[in-house]
């Protein structure tokens, strides 16, 4: 099971390196999910001494008054062999093998955050200790609880410390080491008071009784240690730490542990309890408990890690691929993105996505409606017919049929079809432009590159503009073609009609009478209507051929040709990603790496259970 705790330590350190302490991150963090042990108690109750004897090293700053002024997150790592050393989170890669220097660095780092005042700070100091003489544990040393502010401290310090301590120990995954000195009344113990508050059933609180050797003569702590006077869920553990005099005399930890063992083994009151007393026993009990807790947490941890990986992966894919470094890679990337955009645009036209149907609506409603509004019948009303026929005859009235007059009447009517034809070209152009904008917005890959987005949009619209001009030319040409050559068969019928219905004895002047002109008007009207019906069918064909089909075929051809001429630097400009996004991608990729490593580690532990 040692592997399990080593794994927790590794994960916690990795999270710390990434700033994943569970404070600001929106994601639930590993830090929140992993158990840790916090040491709480009144000032000078012996917290640092307990920590030191678990570690087996003399390394924490000490003195009278308030000494611990910042939380200290202490990770103990057991190593099989080699020299022991410490390493700080704020000084990575610097190994401290001199523990007096560790103590000094804790003091200095505390002062860096709080100044040399007696103030406290909630910003933790991270310290890892690697040693063959420790068990794998993560401990948090917290500033001692106090009842009154001393000179130089703000009035709020009592509450500030209490709130900070509470913020650590109220987390359900925090195991509480409640340190109380045996030479004070347990009823006044700050440690017991605050741990009861956050853990009323005592499911995660271990009571540690210090300073047993300092109890008044004739008194002992047997009732407490046996759980008779104050019962906790877990049995009390008594310890005897070094006294201030021992510290002053530089009594080392090994000797101190031996003396502690001897104290419990040789003091008659405690002999029967000796096997479950002392700092070494405390370390083992904590380690065992931690293992059990972690074991029960593995499924939860696995699902937290898996869930986070999925979230990070989806965010990473939302942010898009990182930019290629070489020109070829960049060109390929741009072409790929353009291809995606082009595909989306085609889908709009082909009905896979909405919008293409609006084009049919132009041909089916707008064009016929506009043609109808031309009102050829009004144009071919008798008075207008008379005017045009007369004008076309000139000085010589026509003899048999008013050939020129017919042509002029037809031309002036057909020319008006140019208006609706042109309007249809414009309407389809506007729809295509709108679909380009829609497709740009729907191309997720383009969101990543604002410049490319603008360039692709402009290039597509420029192509559409060119296609519109060509379409206008071809479509108006259809109308002009009708004007340039009339359908002869239609008019061949005219003389017969004249012979049938007309009166050949009429004088030249009778040829301008009302019924004669009305007949001409209605003949021209039916010819114009025939041509109009035919144009109603051929105008959409011309528009689709020149604009819609062409847009599907070659919307970005021009852009691609220009792209081929660009150098790496210019291509790079097109892929000018927002630096914030680049940054985000890198940091998410890092986190993902951490979580993936954590996943495979925890999976391997879970399988080997
Ligand atoms: N004789 C004896 N002295 C002890 C024992 N435990 C702690 N002391 C002494 O009590 C004093 C305070 O101990 P610390 O370990 O610094 O207490 P602390 O709770 O960490 O203090 P703060 O961080 O200032 O709140 C030191 O002089 C220790 O030597 C003990 O079991 N026996």
């Amino acid at each position: 099971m040692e592997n399990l705790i080593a794994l927790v330590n590794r994960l916690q350190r990795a999270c710390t390196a990434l700033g994943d302490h569970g404070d600001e991150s929106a994601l639930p963090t590993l830090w929140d999910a992993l158990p840790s042990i916090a040491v709480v108690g009144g000032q000078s109750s012996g917290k640092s001494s307990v920590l030191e004897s678990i570690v087996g090293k003399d390394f924490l700053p000490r003195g009278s008054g308030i000494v611990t002024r910042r939380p200290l997150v202490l990770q103990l790592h057991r190593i099989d062999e080699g020299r022991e050393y410490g390493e700080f989170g704020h000084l990575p890669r610097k190994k401290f093998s001199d523990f007096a220097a560790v103590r000094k660095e804790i003091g200095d780092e505390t002062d860096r955050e709080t100044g040399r005042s007696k103030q406290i700070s909630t910003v933790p100091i991270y310290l890892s200790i690697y040693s063959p003489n420790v068990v794998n544990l993560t401990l948090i040393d917290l500033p001692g609880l106090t009842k009154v502010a001393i000179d130089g401290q703000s009035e709020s310090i009592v509450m500030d410390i209490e709130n900070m301590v509470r913020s650590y120990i109220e987390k359900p995954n925090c195991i509480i080491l409640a340190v109380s000195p045996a030479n004070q009344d347990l009823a006044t113990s700050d440690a017991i008071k605050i741990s009861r508050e956050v853990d009323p059933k005592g499911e995660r609180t271990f009571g540690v009784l210090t300073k047993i050797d300092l109890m008044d003569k004739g008194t002992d702590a047997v009732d407490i240690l046996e759980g008779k006077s104050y019962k906790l869920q877990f049995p009390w553990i008594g310890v005897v730490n070094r006294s201030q005099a021992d510290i002053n005399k530089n009594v080392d930890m090994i000797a101190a542990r031996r003396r502690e063992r001897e104290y419990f083994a040789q003091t008659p009151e405690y002999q029967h309890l000796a096997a479950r007393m002392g700092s070494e026993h405390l370390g083992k009990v904590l380690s065992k408990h931690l293992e059990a807790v972690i074991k029960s947490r593995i499924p939860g941890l696995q699902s937290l890690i898996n869930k986070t990986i999925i979230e990070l992966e989806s965010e990473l894919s939302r942010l898009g691929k990182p930019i290629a470094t070489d020109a070829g890679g960049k060109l390929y990337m741009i072409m790929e993105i353009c291809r995606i955009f082009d595909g989306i645009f085609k889908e709009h036209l082909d009905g896979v996505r909405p919008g293409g149907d609006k084009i049919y609506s132009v041909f089916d409603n707008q064009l016929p409606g506009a043609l109808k509004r031309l009102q050829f019948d009004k144009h071919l009303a008798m008075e207008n017919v008379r005017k045009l026929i007369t004008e076309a005859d000139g000085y010589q009235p026509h003899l048999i049929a008013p050939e020129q007059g017919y042509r002029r009447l037809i031309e002036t009517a057909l020319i008006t079809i140019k208006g609706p034809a042109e309007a249809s070209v414009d309407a389809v152009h506007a729809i295509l432009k709108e679909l380009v904008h829609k497709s740009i917005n729907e191309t997720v890959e383009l969101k990543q590159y604002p410049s490319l987005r603008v360039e692709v949009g402009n290039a597509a619209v420029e192509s559409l503009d060119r296609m519109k001009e060509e379409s206008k030319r071809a479509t108006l040409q259809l109308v002009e073609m009708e004007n340039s050559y009339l359908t002869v068969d239609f008019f061949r019928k005219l003389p017969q009609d004249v012979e049938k219905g007309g009166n050949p004895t009429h004088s030249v002047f009778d040829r301008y009478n009302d019924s004669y002109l009305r007949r001409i008007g209605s003949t021209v009207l039916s010819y114009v209507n025939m041509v109009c019906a035919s144009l109603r069918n051929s105008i959409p064909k011309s528009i689709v051929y020149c604009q819609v089909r062409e847009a599907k075929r070659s919307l970005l051809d021009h852009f691609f040709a220009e792209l081929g001429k660009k150098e790496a630097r210019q291509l790079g400009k097109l892929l000018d990603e927002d630096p914030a996004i680049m940054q985000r991608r890198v940091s998410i990729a890092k986190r993902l790496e951490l979580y993936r490593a954590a996943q495979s580690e925890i999976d391997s532990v879970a399988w080997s259970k």
Side-chain angles (χ1 to χ4, degrees):
M1 268 305 162
E2 290 246 312
N3 283 345
L4 198 59
I5 302 176
L7 161 73
V8 171
N9 282 346
R10 273 207 302 277
L11 293 181
Q12 249 173 12
R13 264 190 315 143
C15 294
T16 308
L18 279 179
D20 189 6
H21 313 310
D23 311 334
E24 292 151 22
S25 168
L27 293 170
T29 60
L30 282 173
W31 180 258
D32 277 337
L34 294 174
S36 55
I37 297 172
V39 190
V40 297
Q43 254 178 44
S44 293
S45 55
K47 298 182 299 301
S48 303
S49 302
V50 168
L51 267 188
E52 278 188 337
S53 59
I54 293 172
V55 182
K57 273 282 140 199
D58 191 349
F59 68 101
L60 292 174
R62 236 159 329 156
S64 56
I66 182 164
V67 179
T68 312
R69 290 185 286 119
R70 281 178 68 178
L72 176 77
V73 178
L74 182 65
Q75 291 194 333
L76 309 181
H77 308 260
R78 187 189 186 107
I79 49 174
D80 289 338
E81 52 195 26
R83 283 182 62 194
E84 51 195 357
Y85 64 92
E87 210 174 71
F88 284 96
H90 63 275
L91 288 174
R93 284 182 292 279
K94 183 169 179 190
K95 289 183 180 173
F96 287 77
S97 43
D98 175 4
F99 280 76
V102 170
R103 183 190 309 130
K104 184 171 179 310
E105 182 55 34
I106 295 173
D108 291 350
E109 177 60 15
T110 301
D111 290 346
R112 261 173 235 138
E113 184 69 28
T114 60
R116 283 182 162 277
S117 66
K118 289 178 177 145
Q119 295 306 321
I120 58 161
S121 159
T122 52
V123 181
I125 297 173
Y126 293 93
L127 172 62
S128 289
I129 289 181
Y130 300 83
S131 165
N133 306 317
V134 297
V135 285
N136 290 313
L137 277 179
T138 298
L139 300 133
I140 303 163
D141 191 11
L142 293 163
L145 296 158
T146 180
K147 292 197 166 44
V148 286
I150 56 166
D151 285 350
Q153 291 181 334
S154 64
E155 278 306 312
S156 64
I157 196 157
V158 176
M159 280 315 289
D160 290 346
I161 298 176
E162 207 178 300
N163 290 338
M164 182 210 297
V165 169
R166 196 177 288 111
S167 76
Y168 277 89
I169 64 172
E170 71 190 356
K171 289 184 182 161
N173 60 348
C174 178
I175 297 161
I176 306 165
L177 214 53
V179 176
S180 311
N183 59 351
Q184 278 174 25
D185 188 354
L186 211 55
T188 64
S189 165
D190 298 310
I192 296 295
K193 186 171 156 269
I194 198 161
S195 52
R196 267 197 153 180
E197 209 183 279
V198 296
D199 176 32
K201 290 188 185 155
E203 287 163 339
R204 52 191 180 90
T205 303
F206 285 83
V208 180
L209 206 60
T210 56
K211 304 191 181 180
I212 295 178
D213 58 315
L214 293 184
M215 291 181 79
D216 288 342
K217 277 209 166 62
T219 61
D220 63 57
V222 172
D223 275 359
I224 299 172
L225 295 176
E226 285 183 347
K228 285 181 188 153
S229 69
Y230 191 89
K231 196 169 170 22
L232 290 176
Q233 179 97 356
F234 298 107
W236 280 89
I237 297 175
V239 295
V240 174
N241 298 312
R242 287 173 301 170
S243 65
Q244 192 59 48
D246 293 335
I247 293 163
N248 296 346
K249 276 188 275 171
N250 284 331
V251 172
D252 70 41
M253 294 299 296
I254 309 286
R257 275 193 177 177
R258 196 180 55 241
R259 272 210 347 227
E260 186 189 34
R261 263 199 308 274
E262 285 166 7
Y263 177 86
F264 285 111
Q266 288 165 13
T267 310
E269 293 89 332
Y270 304 119
Q271 267 171 355
H272 66 294
L273 298 169
R276 57 179 183 87
M277 292 293 130
S279 318
E280 267 174 278
H281 178 70
L282 174 63
K284 282 184 193 144
V285 166
L286 288 177
S287 181
K288 212 163 155 222
H289 181 75
L290 202 59
E291 282 180 24
V293 172
I294 294 171
K295 212 170 160 187
S296 72
R297 293 269 161 84
I298 281 185
L301 268 177
Q302 279 176 311
S303 73
L304 167 70
I305 290 171
N306 294 344
K307 182 172 159 267
T308 312
I309 286 178
I310 291 169
E311 282 169 0
L312 291 173
E313 279 174 343
S314 79
E315 170 141 30
L316 208 54
S317 80
R318 200 175 54 72
L319 290 175
K321 290 183 199 155
I323 303 167
T325 45
D326 60 318
K330 284 189 176 112
L331 186 63
Y332 178 77
M333 199 163 180
I334 295 174
M335 302 279 281
E336 269 295 294
I337 295 173
C338 290
R339 200 184 51 72
I340 296 169
F341 156 74
D342 203 39
I344 292 176
F345 178 69
K346 280 182 189 142
E347 283 181 3
H348 276 295
L349 291 175
D350 292 339
V352 181
R353 293 172 191 246
D357 52 314
K358 285 187 186 167
I359 293 176
Y360 177 65
S361 164
V362 172
F363 302 149
D364 197 41
N365 299 317
Q366 186 181 322
L367 178 62
L371 291 175
K372 208 175 252 172
R373 281 194 297 280
L374 291 177
Q375 294 181 326
F376 296 124
D377 48 348
K378 279 196 183 148
H379 178 71
L380 295 168
M382 201 175 59
E383 276 320 303
N384 207 30
V385 173
R386 186 195 309 279
K387 183 171 168 277
L388 284 176
I389 296 267
T390 317
E391 276 171 15
D393 276 353
Y395 72 93
Q396 165 77 74
H398 62 273
L399 300 179
I400 298 171
E403 177 87 9
Q404 286 309 320
Y406 269 109
R407 283 190 185 279
R408 199 163 289 182
L409 278 169
I410 290 166
E411 268 170 28
T412 50
L414 288 186
I415 210 82
T416 59
I417 297 179
K418 281 189 172 182
E422 216 168 337
S424 300
V425 170
D426 289 338
V428 170
H429 180 65
I431 293 166
L432 290 172
K433 254 169 53 175
E434 189 192 315
L435 294 183
V436 160
H437 286 132
K438 257 195 184 155
S439 309
I440 292 268
N441 287 335
E442 288 165 14
T443 309
V444 184
E445 291 74 8
L446 276 176
K447 290 208 164 66
Q448 204 176 331
Y449 310 109
S451 292
L452 183 63
R453 190 184 148 98
V454 171
E455 291 281 319
V456 170
N458 288 346
V461 170
E462 275 167 27
S463 288
L464 289 182
D465 287 344
R466 274 194 297 277
M467 290 165 197
K468 181 184 85 170
E469 290 314 314
E470 175 55 26
S471 176
K472 213 169 253 186
R473 200 188 56 71
T475 310
L476 295 182
Q477 214 169 43
L478 285 179
V479 182
E480 277 155 19
M481 275 155 60
E482 290 296 344
N483 266 338
S484 64
Y485 189 72
L486 306 184
T487 306
V488 184
D489 274 356
F490 185 91
F491 291 97
R492 285 213 173 116
K493 293 176 190 164
L494 279 182
Q496 294 164 15
D497 287 351
V498 168
E499 275 160 26
K500 261 189 229 162
N503 187 347
T505 57
H506 276 171
S507 73
V508 158
F509 300 104
D510 288 344
R511 293 193 176 183
Y512 294 104
N513 74 16
D514 287 1
S515 79
Y516 178 71
L517 292 172
R518 210 169 286 122
R519 279 189 70 78
I520 291 175
S522 81
T523 307
V524 170
L525 180 63
S526 62
Y527 181 78
V528 168
N529 278 339
M530 179 193 80
V531 172
C532 188
S534 144
L535 282 174
R536 194 187 136 166
N537 290 328
S538 55
I539 288 172
K541 290 179 192 189
S542 162
I543 292 176
V544 167
Y545 183 83
C546 298
Q547 289 173 269
V548 182
R549 174 183 155 281
E550 200 54 27
K552 272 175 77 176
R553 219 171 56 87
S554 65
L555 188 65
L556 292 178
D557 278 8
H558 195 71
F559 179 67
F560 288 150
E562 291 299 310
L563 209 56
K565 295 178 205 157
K566 287 195 194 310
E567 291 167 7
R569 195 178 48 81
Q570 293 164 305
L571 294 173
K573 271 193 178 166
L574 283 179
L575 297 173
D576 65 336
E577 207 179 9
D578 181 351
I581 292 182
M582 281 175 166
Q583 187 68 39
R584 179 110 187 100
R585 187 188 299 109
V586 170
S587 87
I588 289 189
K590 256 194 191 165
R591 275 173 72 102
L592 195 56
E593 208 178 302
L594 157 76
Y595 277 80
R596 284 212 181 108
Q599 185 185 45
S600 70
E601 297 220 46
I602 203 159
D603 282 353
S604 68
V605 174
W607 286 112
S608 67
K609 265 200 294 183

